[in-house]
């Protein structure tokens, strides 16, 4: 598709998922990934510990078998999380499933940490402090009650090996040659002080971080409310502009009807000069009406971003066939042919608004016609894979100056060569295309060679699961 002489620019305006929800979901997803990565580091450390213990590199009583078992356990659980996480992470709506996955991971991590602490002589190493990382993360991602429960579970798992050793239920593990551990373990007062110390440390850690996290969450909520308020004000402002613009349409329609009356001679025969002036008034009137219609359309689209747009299954093949047919009629006057080059075999489903998609392709095809040279050719094609559906509209016209590629989607922007070629544009066609692309989470790529032509490629992500749901 890309020829080296083309200047290419890609545009991705994101999707319409509410900003705050998207942010929170992304944060959670990032944490799940982070957990998995950290666990691979733990796997490496455990494997290294196992080898070191086996080769007696450290002069300690570390048991290589314990480490090997924990390593295998971590590898298996982490592989399982990676697979589950991959399935969950693609969908932003599965916020709760991701949270459950995190909780589940924490539970199994506690088990592994508990075993690791036991293998390392429990109180002989500071390994139990690692439980605090999970307590801190729990305060950030779960409610206060759930995070307190996580802190409680952390305490139980941290104290468990020591308690079991204390009750002689499991053999005591010491890795150093000192009597420190047996002295602590066989003195109930010391043992319980130690366990109490762990509990207090975990509780203090939970309390401090949950206080900070609560105030952060409050700030986040306030920001969210302020954001919502700004959106509402913006929506009201857009509605007011929309009403005012809409009201302008009626006087223009009235002017146009007077123009017809005069042109058709109902008010008497007009001199040549007056007829020319009336024709020009009529043309200007048409252009202003077109501009008003585009402004209204653009404002409508921006308002739609804020509300929920009802998407349905749209067969892009069908929309393209219709728009190409209409484009061919428009192009006929200038001797420009508009052809659909990809054969229409199976439906190409996209979740979206049929009206908006028609407008999008219509705008792109009309631009391709407008900026073609006389007797030119516009080619419309569709390419589909299991992941995306891409529509390309290619012309062999005036092209876009490289420096202008950054600006063509801005409101009212028209490049100099476009103004010289065609005076009638509004500079609102591509901003409308941009809004529709944003609503549909589509990306656009523009390739152009000045004086030779341009290709606009719009790509939609295929949401197979949702499409199947609607089809069934
Ligand atoms: P309009 O076509 O009414 O001027 P648009 O918003 O549709 O407004 O396009 C903005 C600008 O992008 C155009 O003025 C032109 O400079 C450039 N442009 C868009 N499509 C093409 C094209 N197919 N070929 C060359 N230039 C284009």
């Amino acid at each position: 598709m890309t020829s080296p002489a083309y200047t290419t620019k890609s545009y991705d305006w994101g999707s319409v998922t509410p900003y705050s929800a998207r942010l929170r979901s992304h944060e959670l997803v990032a944490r799940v990934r982070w957990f998995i990565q950290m666990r691979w580091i733990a796997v490496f450390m455990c494997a290294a510990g196992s080898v070191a213990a086996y080769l007696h590199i450290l002069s300690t009583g570390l048991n290589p078998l314990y480490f090997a078992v924990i390593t295998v356990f971590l590898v298996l659980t982490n592989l399982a999380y990676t697979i589950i996480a991959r399935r969950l992470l693609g969908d932003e709506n599965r916020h709760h499933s991701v949270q459950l996955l995190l909780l589940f991971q924490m539970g199994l991590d506690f088990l592994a940490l508990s075993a690791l602490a036991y293998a390392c002589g429990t109180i002989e190493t500071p390994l139990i402090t690692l439980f605090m990382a999970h307590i801190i993360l729990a305060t950030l991602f779960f409610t206060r009650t759930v995070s307190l429960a996580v802190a409680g579970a952390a305490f139980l798992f941290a104290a468990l090996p020591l308690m079991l050793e204390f009750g002689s239920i499991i053999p005591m593990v010491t890795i150093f040659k000192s009597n420190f551990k047996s002295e602590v373990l066989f003195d109930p007062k010391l043992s319980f002080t130690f366990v109490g110390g762990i509990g207090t440390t975990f509780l203090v850690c939970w309390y401090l971080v949950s206080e900070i996290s609560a105030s952060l969450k409050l700030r986040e909520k306030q920001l969210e409310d302020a954001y919502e308020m700004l959106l509402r004000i913006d929506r009201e402002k857009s509605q007011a502009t929309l009403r005012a613009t809409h009201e302008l349409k009626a006087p223009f329609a009235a002017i146009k009807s007077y123009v017809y009356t005069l042109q058709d001679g109902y008010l008497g025969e007009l001199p040549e000069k007056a007829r020319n002036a009336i024709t020009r008034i009529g043309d200007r009137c048409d252009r202003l009406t077109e501009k008003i219609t585009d402004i209204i359309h653009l404002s409508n689209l921006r308002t739609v971003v804020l509300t929920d747009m009802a998407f349905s299954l749209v067969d892009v093949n069908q929309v393209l066939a219709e728009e190409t047919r209409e484009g061919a009629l428009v192009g006929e006057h200038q001797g420009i042919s508009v052809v659909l080059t990809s054969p229409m075999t199976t439906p190409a489903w996209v979740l979206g608004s049929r009206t908006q998609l028609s407008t999008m392709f219509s705008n792109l095809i009309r631009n391709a016609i407008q900026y073609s040279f006389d007797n030119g050719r516009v080619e419309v094609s569709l390419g589909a894979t299991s992941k995306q559906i891409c529509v390309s509209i290619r012309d062999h016209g005036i092209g876009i100056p490289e420096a202008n590629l950054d600006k063509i989607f801005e409101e009212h922007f028209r490049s100099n060569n476009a103004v010289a070629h065609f005076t009638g544009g509004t500079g609102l066609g591509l901003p409308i295309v941009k809004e529709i692309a944003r609503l549909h989470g589509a990306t656009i790529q523009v390739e152009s060679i000045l004086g030779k032509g341009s290709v606009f490629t719009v790509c939609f992500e295929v949401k197979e699961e949702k499409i199947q749901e609607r089809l069934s």
Side-chain angles (χ1 to χ4, degrees):
M1 186 168 63
T2 318
S3 130
Y6 275 102
T7 309
T8 308
K9 174 124 182 77
S10 299
Y11 310 81
D12 184 353
W13 296 285
S15 66
V16 286
T17 316
Y19 175 73
S20 52
R22 209 167 61 220
L23 197 73
R24 231 179 284 125
S25 230
H26 282 184
E27 186 63 18
L28 253 189
V29 164
R31 279 313 130 227
V32 171
R33 288 211 178 102
W34 183 83
F35 258 87
I36 291 173
Q37 281 160 8
M38 293 306 286
R39 214 169 284 109
W40 286 128
I41 297 175
V43 165
F44 174 76
M45 305 285 277
C46 280
S50 178
V51 174
Y54 183 73
L55 298 176
H56 300 289
I57 291 174
L58 305 167
S59 51
T60 57
L62 287 174
N63 186 337
L65 189 69
Y66 287 153
F67 279 85
V69 171
I70 296 167
T71 309
V72 172
F73 175 78
L74 283 177
V75 168
L76 292 180
T77 48
N78 220 23
L79 278 178
Y81 301 148
T82 313
I83 296 167
I84 302 170
R86 254 194 216 137
R87 284 199 190 153
L88 288 179
L89 305 189
D91 192 341
E92 284 178 348
N93 299 326
R94 298 200 174 164
H95 189 85
H96 289 295
S97 316
V98 178
Q99 270 193 327
L100 267 181
L101 178 68
L102 262 181
L103 266 182
F104 187 68
Q105 288 189 28
M106 284 185 176
L108 289 185
D109 279 355
F110 285 169
L111 195 65
L113 263 178
S114 191
L116 198 65
Y118 172 62
C120 292
T122 44
I123 57 172
E124 288 181 320
T125 60
L127 264 178
I128 33 178
T129 51
L130 288 179
F131 279 95
M132 285 200 276
H134 286 72
I135 298 176
I136 293 169
L137 284 169
T139 56
L140 292 178
F141 295 110
F142 305 120
T143 59
R144 229 174 136 86
T145 325
V146 175
S147 66
L148 182 61
V150 169
F155 167 67
L156 283 181
F157 277 100
L160 191 69
L162 199 68
M163 300 303 283
L164 293 178
E165 281 177 321
F166 179 73
S168 302
I169 298 167
I170 52 174
M172 186 179 80
V173 171
T174 46
I175 59 168
F176 297 120
K177 287 184 189 102
S178 75
N179 294 330
F180 165 66
K181 185 166 176 180
S182 46
E183 273 173 21
V184 173
L185 211 59
F186 296 117
D187 180 341
K189 248 196 249 159
L190 271 182
S191 303
F192 282 104
T193 311
F194 197 87
V195 170
I198 298 174
T200 315
T201 314
F202 284 7
L203 198 66
V204 169
C205 167
W206 168 81
Y207 178 74
L208 288 179
V209 185
S210 69
E211 280 297 299
I212 296 169
S213 149
S215 82
L216 278 179
K217 280 179 189 161
L218 184 73
R219 292 276 147 77
E220 193 189 65
K221 176 86 185 56
Q222 285 167 343
L223 270 176
E224 237 172 64
D225 289 348
Y227 179 69
E228 285 298 324
M229 199 175 78
L230 280 176
L231 289 184
R232 211 182 51 243
I233 293 171
D234 192 51
R235 193 162 42 213
E236 279 160 13
K237 205 180 83 204
S238 306
Q239 295 284 359
T241 318
L242 206 64
R243 274 196 298 278
T245 320
H246 207 82
E247 278 159 19
L248 275 176
K249 272 182 110 178
F252 279 112
I255 295 171
K256 191 70 201 197
S257 78
Y258 282 122
V259 167
Y260 285 138
T261 315
L262 285 167
Q263 273 177 336
D264 293 346
Y266 289 114
L267 299 178
E269 203 49 45
L270 294 176
E272 178 75 18
K273 276 189 181 170
R275 267 211 309 278
N276 286 344
I278 292 290
T279 309
R280 279 207 297 277
I281 292 173
D283 287 348
R284 290 284 158 90
C285 210
D286 283 344
R287 273 178 34 203
L288 277 170
T289 313
E290 196 187 327
K291 201 156 191 155
I292 290 170
T293 311
D294 277 353
I295 292 174
I296 293 176
H297 199 159
L298 197 58
S299 307
N300 271 338
L301 284 170
R302 292 203 172 131
T303 320
V304 160
V305 175
L306 315 174
T307 58
D308 226 6
M309 193 160 135
F311 278 167
S312 57
L313 271 189
V314 183
D315 178 6
V316 178
N317 259 326
Q318 260 186 23
V319 179
L320 284 185
E322 272 166 32
E323 293 309 323
T324 311
R325 247 191 325 267
E326 280 199 17
L329 291 176
V330 176
E332 220 172 52
H333 302 294
Q334 291 162 257
I336 295 166
S337 59
V338 181
V339 288
L340 186 62
T341 55
S342 52
M344 215 179 107
T345 44
T346 47
W349 297 118
V350 157
L351 262 184
S353 150
R354 193 187 166 96
T355 327
Q356 305 299 1
L357 291 176
S358 295
T359 307
M360 174 192 248
F361 296 128
S362 158
N363 281 6
L364 290 174
I365 293 173
R366 272 161 204 258
N367 272 355
I369 298 169
Q370 259 157 22
Y371 300 115
S372 279
F373 299 118
D374 283 351
N375 304 318
R377 180 180 157 92
V378 171
E379 292 137 27
V380 180
S381 63
L382 181 141
T385 65
S386 58
K387 292 218 167 105
Q388 41 174 28
I389 288 177
C390 292
V391 174
S392 291
I393 292 135
R394 178 188 295 271
D395 64 63
H396 305 273
I398 63 168
I400 303 164
E402 191 179 341
N404 292 160
L405 278 175
D406 277 338
K407 303 187 185 131
I408 53 173
F409 286 92
E410 286 171 15
E411 265 173 63
H412 304 293
F413 177 80
R414 302 200 68 215
S415 60
N416 288 339
N417 65 332
V419 175
H421 181 81
F422 169 67
T423 47
T426 63
L428 292 173
L430 288 188
I432 289 176
V433 167
K434 169 185 163 179
E435 288 304 327
I436 299 175
R438 197 161 69 86
L439 280 169
H440 289 78
T443 58
I444 299 186
Q445 191 184 59
V446 182
E447 299 161 87
S448 193
I449 309 176
L450 195 59
K452 295 257 186 251
S454 316
V455 190
F456 282 73
T457 306
V458 186
C459 288
F460 302 88
E461 190 196 334
V462 175
K463 294 180 177 147
E464 194 55 45
E465 232 175 77
K466 290 188 182 165
I467 291 173
Q468 288 308 331
E469 242 171 56
R470 301 272 180 122
L471 281 174
S472 57

